[in-house]
Amino acid sequence: MVAIPVTISPARSRPAHPAPDGGIGDPLIDTHGRVHRDLRISLTDRCSLRCTYCMPEQGNEWLARTSILTLDEIERVARIAAADGVSTFRLTGGEPLLRRDLPEVVERLAALRGPDGPVQIAMTTNGIGLRAALPALIEAGLSRLNISLDTLRRERFHDLTRRDRLDDVLDGIDAAAASGLRPLKINAVAMRGVNDDEMVDLVAFALAHDAQLRFIEQMPLDAGHTWDRQRMVTRDEILAALAQRWHLTPVPGRGGAPAERFLLDGGPASVGVIASVTAPFCGACDRLRLTADGQLRNCLFSTTEYDLLPVLRGPAPGDDAIDRMLRSCVHGKLPGHAINDPSFLQPARGMNAIGG
């Protein structure tokens, strides 16, 4: 098989790894033995909120509309990834609900099959506009939902997101809770002096909505590069706060899941903690990311991107070219993100442009 050249953005690159052996239908295995089964697809870098840990309030430089992947391009990449064993596709942003053809994206992807059968389609959203969109998304084949909610307090929500939209988010969560989509997860970024006094309240709110609360350590992924480790609430601090209210029992068999789960008072309800900074789980990571403008990323914190646009829009070399790009991206994956190494460099893109 002929190797297809890998195009890497020079502004955030390291030398490209040679494309490994393998072809369409072979699993995506990196040099550390990790099999990749999860592709996170960002549909847009735009969002209806301006969360302080993610985006500036003003002056955002949006991706050119001409660079945003089309429905056909997304489906093509996903079809090849599914053939290679990717079994879960998570739709992210920005805010995916801002993408007008979202139901068609879900429908096309939900129709895909991999070596082990039909794929699953998940979505991470801020919930604004979810009630109106949910029936069409469920009919199209949406399997699971994660909804972001960092606070239950109106003024605090406005300060965090720079928008007065708490009622809209809560309405979206109500609609999701009334649907048949399970498991339903609510994501909260824990921040010192901001919402660390609400952790028990947030878990109780999730339980009342038959949802699992997942706390996320704040990560260096803000567009303004203002992340401060001292403001991050750690995994151990989160667990200590929750232990004041519930007895926590670790759930075994985490696998490649980003969240470490704990039963509350013996279960069945549980809470999750995603501790990317203080307790990295890179050794079991099975995730790849595709940005809205066609860049493949093998790590959320990677400074390297593999540019699919020339393959998708240039003289069509066939599906093998996309497959080889996927394999090159996987082959170049490092053992871990090195956040705790002095040499760590924060990605140039903010979270809204990378995709969650």
Side-chain angles (χ1 to χ4, degrees), residues 211-348:
Q212 177 196 119
L213 201 291
R214 305 197 314 170
F215 288 105
I216 303 172
E217 287 184 342
Q218 188 176 2
M219 296 175 283
L221 289 168
D222 61 299
H225 292 203
T226 60
W227 179 75
D228 181 357
R229 183 183 291 268
Q230 300 305 313
R231 296 190 64 192
M232 179 190 73
V233 181
T234 68
R235 167 194 179 274
D236 290 348
E237 290 173 315
I238 293 168
L239 295 178
L242 299 181
Q244 298 298 313
R245 169 62 177 81
W246 295 280
H247 176 71
L248 305 177
T249 306
V251 178
R254 177 179 178 178
E260 184 182 7
R261 290 176 55 229
F262 299 85
L263 296 179
L264 299 171
D265 291 340
S270 65
V271 66
V273 180
I274 300 175
S276 298
V277 179
T278 65
F281 40 90
C282 304
C285 180
D286 64 352
R287 289 171 294 285
L288 295 173
R289 286 173 169 81
L290 178 63
T291 68
D293 59 343
Q295 307 296 312
L296 280 170
R297 299 175 63 92
N298 53 33
C299 177
L300 188 58
F301 303 98
S302 178
T303 55
T304 300
E305 296 182 339
Y306 296 74
D307 191 357
L308 267 177
L309 278 185
V311 177
L312 292 168
R313 298 183 179 179
D319 290 350
D320 282 346
I322 298 173
D323 178 75
R324 297 295 287 178
M325 189 71 81
L326 285 166
R327 294 183 189 282
S328 293
C329 182
V330 170
H331 190 73
K333 189 166 184 172
L334 297 175
H337 54 51
I339 284 179
N340 297 304
D341 189 285
S343 65
F344 174 77
L345 294 176
Q346 182 171 338

Side-chain angles (χ1 to χ4, degrees), residues 103-117:
E104 289 78 15
V105 173
V106 173
E107 183 176 24
R108 295 257 198 115
L109 299 189
L112 299 175
R113 295 182 64 89
D116 298 322

Side-chain angles (χ1 to χ4, degrees), residues 22-250:
I24 297 176
D26 294 324
L28 298 169
I29 306 177
D30 68 16
T31 58
H32 307 283
R34 295 170 294 197
V35 181
H36 291 70
R37 301 184 179 89
D38 186 308
L39 178 61
R40 308 199 165 195
I41 301 175
S42 177
L43 300 181
T44 178
D45 62 329
R46 296 172 185 264
C47 188
S48 41
L49 299 177
R50 295 291 184 273
C51 295
T52 55
Y53 54 81
C54 183
M55 300 168 63
E57 182 174 11
Q58 297 177 342
N60 290 283
E61 295 184 7
W62 307 114
L63 296 173
R65 293 190 182 276
T66 54
S67 72
I68 301 296
L69 293 180
T70 67
L71 175 59
D72 288 341
E73 290 167 342
I74 292 170
E75 181 187 22
R76 187 181 181 198
V77 175
R79 172 172 52 80
I80 296 163
D84 292 340
V86 170
S87 56
T88 298
F89 295 91
R90 176 170 294 279
L91 304 177
T92 68
E95 174 46 54
L97 288 172
L98 295 181
R99 177 102 179 201
R100 294 181 180 179
D101 59 355
L102 178 60
E104 289 78 15
V105 173
V106 173
E107 183 176 24
R108 295 257 198 115
L109 299 189
L112 299 175
R113 295 182 64 89
D116 298 322
V119 303
Q120 281 207 326
I121 310 302
M123 183 174 73
T124 298
T125 174
N126 63 28
I128 296 174
L130 182 60
R131 180 179 293 278
L134 199 52
L137 296 176
I138 293 175
E139 183 178 359
L142 186 67
S143 308
R144 292 183 279 121
L145 263 177
N146 289 20
I147 304 174
S148 300
L149 177 68
D150 296 323
T151 179
L152 296 165
R153 303 181 187 180
R154 185 174 308 281
E155 289 187 8
R156 184 173 290 177
F157 183 92
H158 183 273
D159 290 342
L160 268 172
T161 69
R162 305 180 177 108
R163 299 290 186 270
D164 185 16
R165 304 298 297 272
L166 178 60
D167 287 343
D168 297 313
V169 175
L170 297 179
D171 183 59
I173 292 174
D174 286 342
S179 76
L181 295 181
R182 294 296 185 276
L184 175 63
K185 299 174 183 177
I186 297 175
N187 294 342
V189 177
M191 293 164 279
R192 191 178 310 284
V194 178
N195 65 348
D196 52 344
D197 58 343
E198 285 189 78
M199 290 191 284
V200 168
D201 292 341
L202 284 164
V203 173
F205 173 85
L207 294 177
H209 288 79
D210 193 24
Q212 177 196 119
L213 201 291
R214 305 197 314 170
F215 288 105
I216 303 172
E217 287 184 342
Q218 188 176 2
M219 296 175 283
L221 289 168
D222 61 299
H225 292 203
T226 60
W227 179 75
D228 181 357
R229 183 183 291 268
Q230 300 305 313
R231 296 190 64 192
M232 179 190 73
V233 181
T234 68
R235 167 194 179 274
D236 290 348
E237 290 173 315
I238 293 168
L239 295 178
L242 299 181
Q244 298 298 313
R245 169 62 177 81
W246 295 280
H247 176 71
L248 305 177
T249 306

